[in-house]
Amino acid sequence: MSSKGGGTALTRRNYRLASDMDKPRSTGIVNEKLLSDYLHHVFPSTKQGPTLASKPLGFQDLPAHLEKLLSEDTPTEDGQAVDGRLGPQPVVLDHTSGFEGLLFVDDDLLGVIGHSNFSSIRATTCVYKGKWAYEVLISSQGLMQIGWCTLSCRFNQEEGVGDTPDSYAYDGNRVRKWNVTTTNYGKVSVNTDRVLCVLRNGQSLGTAFTNIKMGPGIAYFPAISLSFKESVAFNFGSRPLRYPSQLINPPAADLMKAHKLLGYIKNVLSTAIDTQEGLVEKDCAVWRLHGEPTVLVTLAHIFNHFAPLMCKVYLVEDVLMNFLLGILEGGGSVDEHPLIQQLLDLFWLLMEDHEVNECLKQLMMSLLRAYRFSPIIPDLGFQIHYLRLTTAILRHEKSRKYLLSNLTFDVLRSVVFFYIKTPLRVKEAGLEELIPTTWWPTHFDKEGKDELEPKDESADERLRRRAYERGCQRLKKRIEVVEELQVQILRLLLNNKDKSTVGKASHVCFHMRALCVFEQHPTALCPPEYMVCFLHRLITAVRGCWDEGHRKSLSRAYVPPQLFYNGKVDYFDLQRLGGLLSHLKKTLKDDLASKANIIIDPAEIQATSMDDLDEDDESGAAQRLPGAVAMGGALARPSWLSSPTLGRANRFLSTAAVSLMTPRRPLSQPEKVKVRTLAVEQRTEEDIEGSYGNDGLLLGRPLEEPDQPNADKSLLEIVDGIVMMYNLSVHQQLGKMVVVSDDVHEYAVALKDTEEKIARCPARRADILEELQKSQKVFAEKLNHLSRRLAWINATIYSKEKMLDIYWLLCVCIRTIEHADNTGSLFAFTPEFYLNVAMNAYSALKNYFSPANGMDELPGYEETLTQLAAILAKHFADPRIVGTDIKDSLMQALASYVCYPQSLRAVERIPEEQRVAMMKNLLAPYEQRPWAQTNWILVRLWRGCGFGYRYTRLPHLLKTKPEDANLPSLQKPCPSLLLQRHMAELLSMDKDMAASFLNSVLNQLNWAFSEFIGMIQEIQQAAERPERNFVDTRQLKVCATCFDLSVSLLRVLEMTVTLVPEIFLDWSRPSAELLLRRLAQLLNQVLNRVTAEKNLFDRVVNLRLPGLESVDHYPILVAVTGILVRILVDGDRQGVSRAASVLLSDPCFQLHSIQHLLGEGGESSSSAAVASSVRPAVGSLGSSVAAPLPSATGSSERKHFSLHPTSEEDLCPICYAHPISAIFKPCSHKSCKACINQHLMNNKDCFFCKATITGVEDYSKPASS
């Protein structure tokens, strides 16, 4: 073994040979007297007498002398079995048979995380007499019952430890003890508490249980039951106790030896040998390993005894870790303490490989455990202390590479060091000291939102707010110290300058281990809150590495598109935009060959099952070329795929065997090189970074893609993993943490309301005043707690720096999508999660980080907003995207985008060609596609321009509180005149598109309104039954949705008839007259159903059912009025005449509906109510519409008028406008002739039973009925 600290390469065996030589004078450096003095100084004896002190000591006598010193005062340990316990040693959790439910158990079998409703697990050892204890470290604050149980106890998802007769438990969260029944006991346990569970007497908590059942066959196991996501770590004596107990004895003999040996090492470090001055005391902090033989041989003798002890976890944690932490206690940067690096050099030099490996493993596990369960204090001192030592260890190159390759980065361990625990109890974290003054919003606007800069803020409120902000800044600065240490750790792991002949560079090792985290979908194994912190630290570190590596080229981060199809990265079950990967390889193999020089092996295309792939693996090794790229023997299934937890991933082993050819001279035959997608642990550095003639991860670069100078290609896959991680768990967790801010708002509103009630409370009602004051106190205490907790969350999750991380991720996704889009058909290989992350990251920036941090302050934000708008506008109808879910998400994102002025302006800034293409896609026929979101987008572009359509909320709902004022549907109107103009031009120029679009809108309106009427009939029937019936909430929701769809479709018709009236009124166009007649028919249907006296609509509206708040006369009547005004009032004379003629000639036209709409005619209660709500908007319609009506009423078409509506039972069940006049053969179902004739033009199946219609006959209602 070699040491970088000195020029001597010696092994322990060589030292032993040198010390055993019978040549005491051949020390080579010092004389016998000086050597003896040195050894006596390093190895002082506590029982040293005058004779022993004067006796010379040399290396040949040192082993015996050291053995004698170590045996002095060392207690003897009884190796016999302890009476009263049964089971193996050491004690661990029984993860094979002693559990119930789903749990995740750490590798050391001492830590456990619940992953089901109420999981239970016991230890492997039981006790039956005597006094016993164990220690539990609690890292969460939920439901858990800790105690003892017998082997006969049977637990389930509802009953755990303490819920059965032979089990006893303590619940620190609920402060209760359990043995079938429960009583109050103990004190509240908090994060990082250690609870000493004693069978009989808990010294600090008092007697828990008496009369414990004892006797033959009864023995008690340590056990715990815990709920979902709760986590603890047990200590059965294998590690030092935080609170020592007489019931748990430490390994006293080994401890004493280890402390003595460590003292000898300190003596060596603090003593220098000077041939002139003799022994010189010095500061051990400046000691260096220079290779002096006397010092090295002395240390070798010490390490002969010290090294085996450092393989025991108890001694590593109690002796070595505390010693190393003491070195860093002086403060300053880690670089100012080089002694730790020298000691690690010494470890690698003087310890066997297996010893130093085990020592480092136990040291890092102890640090990780200590960090994970360290208490939160105001200055975060514990976390900083452990992170500083971790950083110092990882600065040692050889130790870092070993830990990266063998220990640190697996799914459960990798992210713990990067998590900053959120305190659930304010006192626990000392936040009252950091933030002594609390503050919360006290001024709200009409919509219930917080006012950012209230004008009437008092001086006292201003002082409180500023004091609170100063406290938040103090907290943020302390958290930033921890975050900076965490980023330093990641920068060390991403080091690409430490490549040597004996091992890979650190960033390659980290890349391999980190990908295991990404590809194993860690959401089930690692809590999402851990992933949020890890993501932010990783982004910060990667951004720094990327900027450093691309400083000259100024290249901005993105993932090149060839990673998605060249087989270098395996995305397992993640969906591609174009569908399944196997399907894409079949359909796009020619494009891969022509654009990316990738040829798919025909035999591989046929291998679609896992069995086929396994057979190919066995036979494929012999067929591979000797010089093949990225091939290292047969493709073995990675070991982690055998895990039962990750069994779902077994079928996602690599599926792509592709032949790649690097383009040479045009006239030469391309050279084919077969490669397979290797598992992460099988890939070499060459597979990632590439070599001469091999582009590594960038193999298969399309012609459209620039040859960017990526000096560190492994960063590309790390960036790809970051995007994947955000999609899997981080975005969802960001949304969950917003709940705290919402709680602050709700309690602040409640407190203000209570204070107003107190001010209005009469003095004579002292009882009411007392209750209100109690409520006021409760709300104030809750707000004090929540405001401090919100300060912590804002500092750790929603700070400006975290916002920049998410913004950087958004920009990465946008650039990646743009580059992939340039590849044409190969865009289909792009994983769906890139589009999802782009949309979700923008949503997080807009909804989660604002208003604390404004989006306008982000660099280049408007340009980014425009780029995202271009992506949404282009790809929501992209034929290369086939997934239904991702297409719906794109449509919903675009619909939300046009609801806000800033993002709508971004849509207007995209190139005109893209805007026109977007509007053309929006105007495609509604059949066979999700048209509701399309219609919603058109409505938002019109809202603010329609008749009576400038409201944010419906007039009758203004007095009620909105559920969420931030919803897109509740935003103020912001119409786009530019996009309206594009729509008008398209509909005016393309007559066929206009006809098909409007026909589809009219069809959907007919369907939506008919469904709505059918549902309110069922609701009315349920309400009229004598027995008490509750209408299903889902039915109410569907009913309200159909009503909203009807209104929005009417608004789109209003928009169309306003922008392009000639579509209906210019009868020189082929379909204008038919469209106008269909429009008049539907308008009459709507008016008849809504305005008839004592009709069904009135009765349901008057029920005021929860869920039907939006169902009212106003929204639908003003939409109809807007259309009528446009065709009957604002048009030219010829158009008005045609419109009036068609409207009046419709068979179901009823003058009563127009009179009701205008507030004329009878003054019944329902009519008056409707008129009072509608008349302000349509009052001017009376004089405008009255002119055409009299001229038409005198015509021959007057026979169609009716002052009273037809009975609902006689109306066509399809259109609810015409009377039933036709009966179908052979099924005998009925409708009006207009509906069946129109239906038979496209379909021969019955509306109702789907039977084939063979004939239609006239139908008239029998006179008797």
Side-chain angles (χ1 to χ4, degrees):
M1 290 177 285
S2 63
S3 170
K4 296 186 180 297
T8 306
L10 299 170
T11 65
R12 191 191 307 169
R13 183 176 301 168
N14 291 334
Y15 288 133
R16 289 170 182 164
L17 291 174
S19 64
D20 292 340
M21 292 176 62
D22 294 326
K23 297 179 180 180
R25 300 175 184 272
S26 303
T27 57
I29 297 294
V30 298
N31 56 43
E32 289 183 354
K33 176 68 171 60
L34 185 57
L35 175 62
S36 178
D37 293 342
Y38 175 73
L39 294 179
H40 278 298
H41 178 77
V42 172
F43 303 101
S45 175
T46 57
K47 298 181 180 180
Q48 182 174 338
T51 306
L52 185 59
S54 60
K55 181 181 179 181
L57 182 62
F59 284 134
Q60 70 275 17
D61 306 317
L62 184 57
H65 179 73
L66 188 54
E67 287 285 355
K68 182 177 181 180
L69 291 177
L70 292 177
S71 62
E72 291 178 357
D73 302 326
T74 301
T76 58
E77 294 184 352
D78 189 3
Q80 297 180 357
V82 181
D83 189 25
R85 86 184 269 283
L86 294 173
Q89 186 72 20
V91 184
V92 294
L93 296 176
D94 187 355
H95 69 294
T96 57
S97 60
F99 67 92
E100 169 63 35
L102 180 61
L103 305 114
F104 292 140
V105 181
D106 289 349
D107 289 349
D108 59 2
L109 302 182
L110 294 174
V112 61
I113 302 175
H115 209 70
S116 59
N117 185 41
F118 199 50
S119 309
S120 303
I121 190 169
R122 64 172 182 264
T124 55
T125 300
C126 61
V127 297
Y128 56 90
K129 68 178 180 179
K131 295 182 179 181
W132 301 92
Y134 61 92
E135 192 176 60
V136 180
L137 187 57
I138 301 171
S139 66
S140 57
Q141 293 175 316
L143 174 64
M144 60 182 75
Q145 295 171 200
I146 308 168
W148 304 82
C149 73
T150 64
L151 194 62
S152 62
C153 293
R154 295 293 178 263
F155 304 128
N156 53 45
Q157 293 294 300
E158 301 296 332
E159 295 182 343
V161 180
D163 296 325
T164 59
D166 294 336
S167 63
Y168 305 85
Y170 165 65
D171 183 350
N173 183 52
R174 293 178 288 183
V175 199
R176 304 185 75 83
K177 60 181 181 180
W178 298 77
N179 177 236
V180 182
T181 60
T182 177
T183 55
N184 294 331
Y185 173 74
K187 299 179 181 180
V188 177
S189 64
V190 296
N191 260 2
T192 70
D193 268 5
R194 291 175 184 256
V195 180
L196 196 63
C197 296
V198 185
L199 180 60
R200 293 184 179 175
N201 298 323
Q203 184 177 357
S204 61
L205 300 180
T207 302
F209 300 100
T210 57
N211 299 322
I212 306 298
K213 186 177 180 181
M214 304 290 288
I218 299 177
Y220 291 92
F221 293 81
I224 186 173
S225 297
L226 65 172
S227 58
F228 184 68
K229 291 296 183 184
E230 302 304 320
S231 62
V232 299
F234 285 81
N235 186 356
F236 299 109
S238 61
R239 295 177 181 273
L241 300 176
R242 175 172 294 185
Y243 303 106
S245 169
Q246 296 179 354
L247 301 179
I248 302 179
N249 297 321
D254 286 344
L255 266 177
M256 184 169 288
K257 286 182 181 180
H259 281 294
K260 285 183 178 180
L261 292 167
L262 183 60
Y264 302 152
I265 293 174
K266 291 179 182 178
N267 291 339
V268 173
L269 302 181
S270 61
T271 305
I273 303 176
D274 192 306
T275 56
Q276 302 297 328
E277 300 180 7
L279 303 182
V280 180
E281 293 288 336
K282 65 176 183 179
D283 185 3
C284 63
V286 298
W287 183 82
R288 296 291 184 274
L289 179 61
H290 295 303
E292 301 95 332
T294 302
V295 176
L296 290 177
V297 173
T298 303
L299 287 170
H301 281 84
I302 298 174
F303 271 83
N304 281 336
H305 300 274
F306 188 68
L309 295 177
M310 289 301 101
C311 296
K312 301 179 179 180
V313 60
Y314 195 105
L315 302 178
V316 169
E317 186 169 329
D318 189 73
V319 179
L320 180 61
M321 189 174 81
N322 288 331
F323 170 61
L324 297 178
L325 288 171
I327 295 175
L328 298 173
E329 280 183 353
S333 66
V334 176
D335 296 332
E336 298 174 7
H337 301 278
L339 179 58
I340 294 179
Q341 309 298 310
Q342 300 296 316
L343 289 173
L344 289 173
D345 276 337
L346 203 61
F347 278 35
W348 284 102
L349 178 66
L350 300 178
M351 295 172 69
E352 300 291 348
D353 283 350
H354 70 90
E355 293 172 340
V356 70
N357 291 347
E358 184 65 21
C359 178
L360 282 174
K361 175 183 176 181
Q362 298 299 345
L363 178 59
M364 288 302 295
M365 290 298 294
S366 296
L367 277 172
L368 186 147
R369 182 187 179 98
Y371 178 84
R372 177 182 175 188
F373 295 104
S374 58
I376 302 174
I377 57 177
D379 61 353
L380 298 172
F382 289 108
Q383 288 85 348
I384 292 173
H385 215 36
Y386 298 132
L387 288 173
R388 280 165 54 82
L389 179 54
T390 304
T391 304
I393 294 172
L394 291 177
R395 284 185 181 276
H396 189 263
E397 179 183 328
K398 193 169 184 179
S399 301
R400 177 174 68 246
K401 290 183 178 180
Y402 164 74
L403 292 172
L404 273 172
S405 302
N406 299 279
L407 172 70
T408 307
F409 283 89
D410 64 15
V411 174
L412 289 177
R413 299 191 189 111
S414 60
V415 297
V416 173
F417 275 124
F418 310 103
Y419 175 55
I420 300 180
K421 190 161 38 183
T422 302
L424 296 181
R425 294 186 175 94
V426 170
K427 292 182 180 179
E428 169 198 354
L431 293 183
E432 292 178 346
E433 302 175 24
L434 280 176
I435 311 174
T437 304
T438 57
W439 174 87
W440 51 84
T442 56
H443 299 271
F444 311 98
D445 56 20
K446 295 180 181 179
E447 298 179 356
K449 298 180 181 179
D450 303 341
E451 290 186 7
L452 300 180
E453 297 180 358
K455 298 179 181 179
D456 55 345
E457 184 181 32
S458 65
D460 181 58
E461 290 175 339
R462 189 179 303 109
L463 289 175
R464 282 186 58 204
R465 176 170 56 83
R466 291 176 179 175
Y468 175 73
E469 290 172 352
R470 288 193 296 270
C472 294
Q473 286 299 318
R474 287 193 296 269
L475 174 63
K476 183 180 178 183
K477 287 180 180 179
R478 298 189 180 187
I479 290 175
E480 285 175 349
V481 175
V482 178
E483 293 176 346
E484 179 57 32
L485 287 170
Q486 293 169 334
V487 173
Q488 285 182 24
I489 291 175
L490 280 173
R491 285 175 178 160
L492 287 170
L493 302 180
L494 289 170
N495 186 355
N496 63 348
K497 299 178 181 178
D498 59 354
K499 182 179 179 180
S500 62
T501 56
V502 296
K504 304 175 183 176
S506 294
H507 75 290
V508 175
C509 300
F510 172 79
H511 174 249
M512 299 296 185
R513 305 300 295 179
L515 289 184
C516 289
V517 178
F518 300 146
E519 295 184 354
Q520 290 177 16
H521 297 193
T523 51
L525 300 177
C526 187
E529 55 270 22
Y530 284 50
M531 300 301 293
V532 173
C533 293
F534 181 49
L535 177 99
H536 284 299
R537 309 302 175 269
L538 190 56
I539 288 179
T540 303
V542 168
R543 287 174 64 186
C545 294
W546 188 285
D547 294 341
E548 182 180 351
H550 298 79
R551 191 169 296 159
K552 296 181 179 180
S553 63
L554 298 178
S555 173
R556 295 188 294 178
Y558 73 96
V559 179
Q562 54 264 45
L563 263 69
F564 305 142
Y565 54 76
N566 66 7
K568 293 291 183 179
V569 179
D570 193 348
Y571 290 99
F572 298 97
D573 59 332
L574 297 177
Q575 187 75 3
R576 309 300 180 100
L577 292 177
L580 294 175
L581 182 62
S582 57
H583 169 74
L584 293 176
K585 287 181 177 179
K586 292 178 183 179
T587 56
L588 298 178
K589 58 182 181 179
D590 294 337
D591 292 338
L592 283 171
S594 60
K595 295 182 178 181
N597 293 325
I598 293 180
I599 300 177
I600 304 296
D601 188 348
E604 189 64 26
I605 295 179
Q606 300 175 1
T608 56
S609 67
M610 194 65 202
D611 294 335
D612 293 335
L613 289 175
D614 290 340
E615 293 172 3
D616 291 344
D617 293 340
E618 297 173 1
S619 61
Q623 300 175 2
R624 299 186 183 107
L625 298 178
V629 180
M631 293 304 296
L635 179 60
R637 180 171 300 184
S639 59
W640 57 267
L641 282 178
S642 302
S643 168
T645 308
L646 300 172
R648 58 186 292 275
N650 284 333
R651 64 188 182 89
F652 301 127
L653 196 60
S654 53
T655 58
V658 295
S659 298
L660 304 176
M661 55 184 184
T662 305
R664 308 283 184 178
R665 292 176 297 175
L667 298 179
S668 63
Q669 184 70 20
E671 179 182 354
K672 299 179 181 180
V673 182
K674 286 189 176 182
V675 301
R676 279 182 181 269
T677 304
L678 296 178
V680 172
E681 54 267 34
Q682 289 181 305
R683 295 197 302 185
T684 64
E685 186 173 357
E686 183 179 351
D687 297 323
I688 302 169
E689 296 295 337
S691 59
Y692 179 76
N694 173 20
D695 290 334
L697 285 177
L698 299 182
L699 245 167
R701 180 174 61 87
L703 299 177
E704 298 85 0
E705 181 67 14
D707 187 11
Q708 61 173 3
N710 283 310
D712 186 2
K713 295 185 177 68
S714 64
L715 276 182
L716 296 175
E717 201 165 358
I718 296 293
V719 172
D720 179 71
I722 290 173
V723 179
M724 187 191 308
M725 189 197 315
Y726 184 89
N727 179 66
L728 290 175
S729 63
V730 173
H731 179 74
Q732 185 179 8
Q733 182 64 21
L734 286 178
K736 289 181 179 179
M737 301 308 292
V738 182
V739 174
V740 179
S741 177
D742 295 339
D743 289 344
V744 170
H745 174 80
E746 290 181 6
Y747 277 102
V749 173
L751 179 61
K752 185 175 182 180
D753 182 60
T754 304
E755 291 173 346
E756 292 174 352
K757 290 179 180 178
I758 291 175
R760 297 194 307 267
C761 182
R764 65 180 183 274
R765 298 305 304 269
D767 54 338
I768 297 178
L769 182 62
E770 183 181 359
E771 292 299 323
L772 288 173
Q773 289 173 345
K774 288 182 180 178
S775 300
Q776 181 187 25
K777 182 180 179 181
V778 170
F779 291 148
E781 290 177 353
K782 190 69 176 178
L783 281 168
N784 283 328
H785 165 78
L786 287 175
S787 61
R788 291 187 175 100
R789 187 164 178 238
L790 182 62
W792 182 282
I793 292 174
N794 285 337
T796 55
I797 298 178
Y798 298 125
S799 66
K800 181 68 174 180
E801 294 73 21
K802 311 303 183 298
M803 188 178 190
L804 288 172
D805 290 341
I806 303 301
Y807 180 63
W808 178 84
L809 191 63
L810 170 63
C811 295
V812 167
C813 291
I814 288 176
R815 287 191 287 269
T816 300
I817 294 168
E818 289 176 343
H819 281 264
D821 182 37
N822 293 334
T823 62
S825 59
L826 300 185
F827 177 67
F829 284 94
T830 307
E832 283 186 356
F833 64 79
Y834 273 90
L835 278 172
N836 280 325
V837 171
M839 295 181 287
N840 290 335
Y842 168 72
S843 175
L845 292 172
K846 180 167 62 70
N847 298 322
Y848 302 158
F849 290 88
S850 298
N853 296 292
M855 297 175 65
D856 298 337
E857 301 175 4
L858 295 171
Y861 175 66
E862 287 194 358
E863 179 185 357
T864 302
L865 211 59
T866 305
Q867 291 175 319
L868 181 58
I871 288 174
L872 297 177
K874 180 174 183 179
H875 297 300
F876 82 93
D878 193 336
R880 296 173 295 182
I881 300 176
V882 301
T884 303
D885 292 341
I886 188 64
K887 292 173 76 171
D888 288 346
S889 298
L890 286 167
M891 185 71 76
Q892 293 172 11
L894 182 60
S896 175
Y897 222 69
V898 300
C899 292
Y900 301 88
Q902 193 175 22
S903 52
L904 180 59
R905 300 290 87 83
V907 176
E908 294 178 343
R909 287 196 299 269
I910 66 177
E912 182 177 357
E913 181 181 355
Q914 294 185 17
R915 294 197 305 268
V916 173
M918 177 189 75
M919 294 305 301
K920 190 171 183 180
N921 288 324
L922 290 174
L923 297 175
Y926 281 2
E927 283 80 10
Q928 297 181 352
R929 71 187 185 99
W931 57 270
Q933 290 293 341
T934 300
N935 197 77
W936 167 256
I937 295 173
L938 295 176
V939 168
R940 287 302 307 189
L941 298 178
W942 176 246
R943 191 168 190 172
C945 296
F947 184 84
Y949 203 38
R950 293 172 178 82
Y951 56 82
T952 300
R953 299 184 65 208
L954 292 170
H956 69 286
L957 297 178
L958 289 178
K959 295 183 180 180
T960 62
K961 180 183 176 181
E963 294 182 0
D964 186 359
N966 294 319
L967 289 175
S969 58
L970 296 179
Q971 303 308 306
K972 294 181 179 179
C974 52
S976 173
L977 300 180
L978 177 61
L979 298 179
Q980 289 178 22
R981 178 166 58 82
H982 290 323
M983 175 179 175
E985 292 172 352
L986 286 169
L987 293 177
S988 178
M989 296 172 58
D990 194 333
K991 298 179 181 180
D992 293 337
M993 182 182 71
S996 59
F997 168 69
L998 286 173
N999 268 315
S1000 67
V1001 173
L1002 293 169
N1003 288 339
Q1004 299 302 339
L1005 175 60
N1006 185 26
W1007 169 83
F1009 191 71
S1010 300
E1011 287 291 319
F1012 168 70
I1013 295 297
M1015 287 188 176
I1016 63 174
Q1017 284 179 338
E1018 295 178 7
I1019 294 172
Q1020 174 63 21
Q1021 291 171 4
E1024 290 179 347
R1025 293 194 186 107
E1027 63 273 14
R1028 187 174 181 83
N1029 290 294
F1030 294 94
V1031 182
D1032 184 16
T1033 55
R1034 183 178 177 276
Q1035 185 179 9
L1036 294 175
K1037 185 176 180 179
V1038 173
C1039 179
T1041 301
C1042 288
F1043 179 78
D1044 293 338
L1045 287 175
S1046 301
V1047 174
S1048 64
L1049 288 164
L1050 285 169
R1051 286 298 183 180
V1052 169
L1053 289 172
E1054 179 195 13
M1055 178 184 183
T1056 306
V1057 78
T1058 303
L1059 297 176
V1060 199
E1062 61 269 21
I1063 293 181
F1064 295 95
L1065 302 178
D1066 182 6
W1067 286 7
S1068 61
R1069 298 171 69 101
S1071 55
E1073 183 177 0
L1074 177 60
L1075 290 174
L1076 183 58
R1077 292 188 181 281
R1078 290 198 63 193
L1079 177 63
Q1081 179 188 25
L1082 288 171
L1083 293 179
N1084 283 324
Q1085 290 178 27
V1086 173
L1087 286 174
N1088 292 344
R1089 305 296 293 191
V1090 175
T1091 62
E1093 292 185 8
K1094 299 180 181 179
N1095 64 357
L1096 179 64
F1097 187 86
D1098 271 346
R1099 292 196 294 270
V1100 172
V1101 168
N1102 291 332
L1103 290 175
R1104 298 299 177 191
L1105 297 174
L1108 293 183
E1109 293 87 357
S1110 62
V1111 178
D1112 194 73
H1113 296 83
Y1114 181 84
I1116 195 165
L1117 287 182
V1118 292
V1120 172
T1121 303
I1123 299 174
L1124 292 176
V1125 167
R1126 186 63 190 87
I1127 63 176
L1128 296 177
V1129 179
D1130 296 340
D1132 55 27
R1133 186 171 183 178
Q1134 184 181 15
V1136 169
S1137 176
R1138 287 174 176 171
S1141 175
V1142 170
L1143 186 68
L1144 298 175
S1145 63
D1146 186 72
C1148 58
F1149 174 78
Q1150 297 178 5
L1151 186 58
H1152 172 83
S1153 298
I1154 298 297
Q1155 292 173 338
H1156 189 102
L1157 183 66
L1158 298 174
E1160 301 173 356
E1163 289 297 331
S1164 64
S1165 59
S1166 62
S1167 176
V1170 175
S1172 64
S1173 63
V1174 179
R1175 192 179 290 119
V1178 301
S1180 61
L1181 182 63
S1183 57
S1184 303
V1185 181
L1189 291 180
S1191 60
T1193 54
S1195 68
S1196 60
E1197 297 168 349
R1198 185 181 177 91
K1199 60 185 178 180
H1200 297 292
F1201 298 169
S1202 173
L1203 291 177
H1204 301 284
T1206 307
S1207 171
E1208 291 184 2
E1209 297 179 356
D1210 299 332
L1211 291 177
C1212 169
I1214 304 302
C1215 65
Y1216 287 99
H1218 299 200
I1220 295 175
S1221 57
I1223 184 170
F1224 315 154
K1225 297 297 181 181
C1227 61
S1228 299
H1229 286 114
K1230 308 177 187 68
S1231 76
C1232 67
K1233 288 185 178 179
C1235 286
I1236 188 59
N1237 289 337
Q1238 184 176 347
H1239 177 69
L1240 290 176
M1241 294 174 64
N1242 303 310
N1243 198 319
K1244 302 299 182 183
D1245 295 337
C1246 174
F1247 290 111
F1248 308 98
C1249 63
K1250 303 304 179 184
T1252 302
I1253 299 175
T1254 58
V1256 178
E1257 298 180 359
D1258 292 340
Y1259 172 82
S1260 59
K1261 186 177 179 180
S1264 59
S1265 53

